Amino acid sequence: MKRLFLRAIFPALLLCQLGAAQQNVRTIFLVRHAEKASAAADAPLSPEGQKRAECLATTLKDAGIKQIYVTDVTRTQQTAAPLAKALKITPKILPAKDSNGLIKNLVYTGGGNILVVGHSDTVPFVIARLQGG
């Protein structure tokens, strides 16, 4: 009887562990801000960029995003704004030059998928530091 019980309970315990491990999996969506209106340092999005931000919101609305990170540059905030509004999430604003702080937040933050809106020079750095492919 004891053996039968162990044979039945052991596979169930393994399945529970597997299920718990899968709950800790999350996806980090790293994107560059949408098109900007000018070459100015803090240029807002162009009309095309606004459309692309809306497209991003449509694409990720069902992706399980629980947190959004943007930089202190207007165009990253504008790129994330439609999705943030739809999901009722307040984006966390970090300095554009603090990629290491962003990485720390990504590694030690709780569950749920994350959207990060960065820049052409920060996104590849973050991918490399997170050892993404």
Side-chain angles (χ1 to χ4, degrees):
M1 183 72 154
K2 220 179 207 182
R3 283 186 110 141
L4 181 61
F5 177 75
L6 288 176
R7 285 184 185 170
I9 198 73
F10 187 70
L13 288 173
L14 284 177
L15 288 175
C16 288
Q17 289 288 21
L18 181 61
Q22 287 178 341
Q23 288 178 357
N24 291 329
V25 173
R26 69 173 177 227
T27 301
I28 299 171
F29 296 90
L30 284 160
V31 299
R32 177 190 173 270
H33 61 79
E35 293 84 1
K36 57 186 178 174
S38 70
D42 197 18
L45 294 182
S46 67
E48 294 81 17
Q50 300 265 347
K51 289 178 188 172
R52 194 169 305 271
E54 292 291 339
C55 182
L56 179 68
T58 301
T59 302
L60 295 180
K61 71 180 179 344
D62 297 321
I65 303 289
K66 300 296 182 203
Q67 296 178 61
I68 300 174
Y69 288 93
V70 296
T71 70
D72 53 356
V73 180
T74 301
R75 59 187 168 270
T76 63
Q77 297 167 32
Q78 290 176 327
T79 300
L83 180 63
K85 182 178 177 183
L87 298 178
K88 297 178 175 73
I89 295 173
T90 301
K92 293 177 178 77
I93 302 171
L94 299 174
K97 296 181 189 257
D98 188 17
S99 294
N100 288 322
L102 170 63
I103 291 163
K104 180 180 174 185
N105 278 298
L106 295 176
V107 170
Y108 295 108
T109 297
N113 295 338
I114 301 170
L115 170 65
V116 176
V117 182
H119 303 272
S120 60
D121 60 340
T122 60
V123 170
F125 177 78
V126 172
I127 291 171
R129 288 291 306 272
L130 292 175
Q131 298 179 349

